[in-house]
Amino acid sequence: MSSPLASRLGTNYSAQDKEIDEIKALLVEPSQKLKRLNDEIAVMRKALDKLVEERDILSTYVDTHQALISPVRRLHLDILEAIFMACLPTHRNCVMSAQEAPVILGRICSSWRTISLKTPRLWSRLHIVEPSYPYHLPPGVYQSKVEQRLEVADAWLRRSKTCPLSISLESSYDYGMGPPFTHPVTPNAEPFLDILIPFASRWQTISLAISLSAVQTLLRLTENEVPLLKSLMINERLDNPHDISQWTLPQACILHASGLTEFSLMGRNAHSPDLPLRWSHLTALTLMGSGWGPGGSTVNPQTCRVVLDILSRCSELRACTLLVHAPLDVHLRDFVVECPFLHTFDLFCDDIPLQVADRLLSHLSLPELRDFKLRGVKLEDPQSAFSADSVLSFLTTLTQLESISVDSAIFSKPILINSLHALPPTVLHLTITNPTWRPPGREDAIFDDEVLEALATFPDRPSHIPALQEVVVHYCPKLSDEALLRFIMSRPTLKLVDIKFDRERKIDILPSLQPFTEAGLKTSITYSTLPPPQFSPWQGLPDVPLTLWGSP
């Protein structure tokens, strides 16, 4: 509609007195027409509301009758139970949450709730978390939460009827914390363990992160009380950081269970060979005890001699993770321990790691090894003249090796390069991790362009690892973008390159990699980015916005 005041509309213009009567006269007819339209709309809306009401009644009638012939209602009970089982997580135990199965299955309808509660296998796996103490709440609230969780855990496991059980228990991390974090109530895993013990006859896979006192409770169980036990994992957490007291190890304890084939122990200070395990039955073994007491004192260190003694007893071992301590055993006899079935070996060497590994590997024969990890916590002296001949020789014997992962800092650069050259041609996956922290006097990083070039393939130099498909390198400040690009272009058969730089990007190589990614190469190349300077006018004030500190 045209208006004589079109130029004034939508502006802040205020009508003059002489224009007011003109505007009122102008709006008489439009206002009458607007009223007629509103009346017509009201009539039509009433008719529409009536139609919607009739539609909803019919829709409800149809839907409720169609539900009677719904395919899911016609499923046989066995099929529905199988579907329910497929809803459970496969990589871990179930949690006490209505956001996932099996709990959520009972929230769909009464029928499904009845079926889920009467399907024992749904309740045969459980992850229990001991509540952490909430500092801002009174002790009674914490205790109420503990009792609630104990009640749920007991009810959950009773629903499993006679099924073998898989249980994991995660105790609080707050043990032994002093002021100002001292709790009015000290977290205690023993009540949770007390809930689990009545079901011990059905334990099959048990993983426990518990305190030393709770471990003592666990060890009171005899082998006859756990007839189904196949896997036991214990992560011992000290009630007090200075507590190095030893376990009591009766020969008839749970560790001597006849069916126990997988055993994992972390945080243990006892002499590992004294554990009353049926060593010849084990197929998977993890021993990651600290071995050290307060002030750096040695408490039953797991030396090369101890490790060789253990491995010599484990004739059926398939997978193994071991922490080995110095000092080096200088009087090892000239013998070799063979593990004929071992396919996965994770070796963590504490203190002078390369020399410890060199000594240990010189006494091992692992003909079926396919996955090897060599880790350590102490950086190798770059000026060290140590040659690591046994490590190099060991690598050449691994004719079945497919995956290898190493911490680069336990090597000097020449030894790392020689080790890469010594890898067998069967290697498919290579992972190299560089330290994110380096002590004073050791600011250089071992992994650089020269090391990566040792893996490259050139027309005049065939590859040392022709089958290599995946390369993962994390935290490499000295590796250049250009060297990475040359390496990838030299190996067109690569399927995965995962590189994490702890520096900012200097050159964008992704456009140059497009032909390779289009051919199927998967790449993950990330850089660390320094946070931008903050120039907030709120800085230093108590009500500073959270986004100043990087929070959402």
Side-chain angles (χ1 to χ4, degrees):
M1 298 175 60
S2 61
S3 169
L5 299 173
S7 63
R8 306 293 190 182
L9 300 179
T11 70
N12 291 330
Y13 176 75
S14 178
Q16 301 296 321
D17 291 342
K18 61 181 181 180
E19 296 176 309
I20 293 177
D21 291 337
E22 180 183 348
I23 293 174
K24 287 182 177 180
L26 181 66
L27 293 180
V28 170
E29 184 179 350
S31 297
Q32 292 175 348
K33 185 174 181 180
L34 179 62
K35 183 180 182 304
R36 288 197 303 272
L37 290 173
N38 283 334
D39 291 343
E40 291 180 18
I41 290 174
V43 172
M44 297 181 69
R45 180 169 291 157
K46 186 175 181 180
L48 179 62
D49 290 343
K50 184 177 180 181
L51 290 174
V52 169
E53 181 181 0
E54 292 180 8
R55 189 274 314 272
D56 290 344
I57 293 173
L58 285 174
S59 178
T60 300
Y61 182 87
V62 171
D63 291 344
T64 53
H65 283 75
Q66 283 187 334
L68 299 177
I69 59 174
S70 171
V72 71
R73 293 195 182 191
R74 296 168 55 82
L75 288 176
H76 193 277
L77 182 60
D78 291 345
I79 297 177
L80 195 58
E81 289 179 356
I83 293 174
F84 283 6
M85 289 298 300
C87 294
L88 300 179
T90 58
H91 60 291
R92 57 167 171 80
N93 288 333
C94 304
V95 298
M96 300 178 183
S97 171
Q99 297 182 11
E100 66 175 50
V103 179
I104 194 175
L105 297 174
R107 305 291 179 90
I108 306 302
C109 63
S110 59
S111 175
W112 280 25
R113 176 175 174 79
T114 300
I115 295 173
S116 66
L117 292 179
K118 292 184 177 181
T119 305
R121 288 188 302 158
L122 287 175
W123 309 97
S124 64
R125 293 160 48 199
L126 175 61
H127 178 67
I128 306 171
V129 179
E130 174 193 357
S132 297
Y133 185 81
Y135 301 103
H136 61 289
L137 295 178
V141 176
Y142 168 77
Q143 194 60 41
S144 175
K145 185 64 176 178
V146 169
E147 292 173 358
Q148 179 192 37
R149 198 156 289 182
L150 289 170
E151 182 181 352
V152 172
D154 182 66
W156 185 299
L157 295 175
R158 291 189 185 283
R159 293 171 187 168
S160 64
K161 301 299 182 183
T162 60
C163 292
L165 297 174
S166 175
I167 303 172
S168 48
L169 170 61
E170 185 74 11
S171 66
S172 171
Y173 283 87
D174 299 324
Y175 291 109
M177 295 183 71
F181 301 105
T182 302
H183 299 151
V185 175
T186 302
N188 183 7
E190 292 192 55
F192 289 89
L193 196 57
D194 291 341
I195 286 291
L196 301 182
I197 286 177
F199 302 94
S201 63
R202 295 193 283 120
W203 288 1
Q204 187 173 74
T205 301
I206 303 295
S207 176
L208 305 171
I210 54 179
S211 67
L212 178 62
S213 57
V215 171
Q216 298 287 8
T217 301
L218 174 71
L219 294 176
R220 295 192 189 105
L221 291 173
T222 67
E223 57 181 297
N224 294 328
E225 294 177 280
V226 287
L228 303 182
L229 188 62
K230 294 182 178 180
S231 176
L232 175 61
M233 290 164 275
I234 302 175
N235 185 353
E236 178 192 335
R237 292 177 176 162
L238 298 180
D239 300 67
N240 187 312
H242 302 290
D243 184 359
I244 57 171
S245 56
Q246 305 298 302
W247 290 357
T248 302
L249 294 170
Q251 290 300 309
C253 75
I254 188 175
L255 303 186
H256 198 59
S258 60
L260 187 62
T261 58
E262 299 179 4
F263 180 67
S264 175
L265 180 57
M266 302 184 70
R268 182 71 175 111
N269 291 312
H271 193 225
S272 297
D274 292 340
L275 299 174
L277 294 162
R278 298 177 188 262
W279 299 97
S280 61
H281 292 189
L282 295 179
T283 59
L285 174 66
T286 295
L287 294 174
M288 292 290 287
S290 65
W292 305 102
S297 59
T298 304
V299 182
N300 295 314
Q302 196 161 276
T303 63
C304 292
R305 182 188 300 277
V306 172
V307 168
L308 290 172
D309 180 20
I310 291 172
L311 292 178
S312 67
R313 306 180 189 186
C314 302
S315 57
E316 297 296 321
L317 209 56
R318 266 69 174 174
C320 185
T321 299
L322 294 173
L323 171 62
V324 187
H325 300 107
L328 297 172
D329 302 284
V330 294
H331 300 297
L332 287 176
R333 300 192 311 272
D334 186 16
F335 69 98
V336 174
V337 174
E338 181 175 358
C339 299
F341 307 112
L342 188 67
H343 56 70
T344 301
F345 190 28
D346 186 350
L347 180 61
F348 191 102
C349 300
D350 185 14
D351 200 23
I352 52 175
L354 189 58
Q355 295 186 46
V356 171
D358 193 71
R359 176 61 60 89
L360 178 65
L361 296 178
S362 66
H363 292 273
L364 284 179
S365 173
L366 310 176
E368 292 298 320
L369 191 64
R370 288 173 169 77
D371 186 348
F372 180 48
K373 294 183 178 66
L374 180 56
R375 300 180 288 152
V377 295
K378 183 176 180 180
L379 304 184
E380 181 68 21
D381 182 357
Q383 305 302 322
S384 172
F386 184 70
S387 61
D389 290 338
S390 295
V391 171
L392 301 178
S393 177
F394 173 78
L395 293 175
T396 61
T397 65
L398 304 179
T399 58
Q400 305 295 322
L401 190 66
E402 296 178 354
S403 177
I404 184 168
S405 175
V406 297
D407 288 351
S408 70
I410 68 176
F411 299 87
S412 63
K413 186 194 294 186
I415 295 179
L416 178 58
I417 292 176
N418 289 337
S419 298
L420 295 175
H421 287 169
L423 293 176
T426 54
V427 171
L428 301 173
H429 316 282
L430 171 64
T431 299
I432 299 178
T433 302
N434 299 278
T436 56
W437 172 85
R438 289 175 286 278
R442 178 66 191 278
E443 302 300 330
D444 62 315
I446 294 299
F447 194 92
D448 58 11
D449 293 2
E450 183 180 357
V451 177
L452 188 61
E453 187 176 346
L455 295 170
T457 300
F458 300 103
D460 59 341
R461 192 187 72 188
S463 171
H464 294 282
I465 320 173
L468 188 64
Q469 296 180 358
E470 299 183 1
V471 175
V472 178
V473 182
H474 288 173
Y475 313 114
C476 42
K478 296 187 68 176
L479 179 63
S480 69
D481 300 301
E482 298 93 334
L484 176 59
L485 178 60
R486 289 196 301 270
F487 166 73
I488 296 176
M489 295 181 69
S490 77
R491 303 197 68 121
T493 59
L494 285 175
K495 295 183 178 179
L496 172 68
V497 174
D498 181 357
I499 310 292
K500 285 184 172 62
F501 289 99
D502 53 350
R503 62 167 175 80
E504 293 185 307
R505 185 176 65 184
K506 297 179 180 178
I507 298 176
D508 185 5
I509 66 173
L510 293 182
S512 300
L513 293 179
Q514 186 173 352
F516 297 90
T517 56
E518 291 177 350
L521 174 67
K522 295 181 180 179
T523 60
S524 175
I525 303 175
T526 59
Y527 300 82
S528 62
T529 302
L530 297 177
Q534 299 288 352
F535 301 110
S536 171
W538 286 273
Q539 192 163 356
L541 298 177
D543 58 344
V544 55
L546 292 178
T547 51
L548 179 62
W549 307 106
S551 301

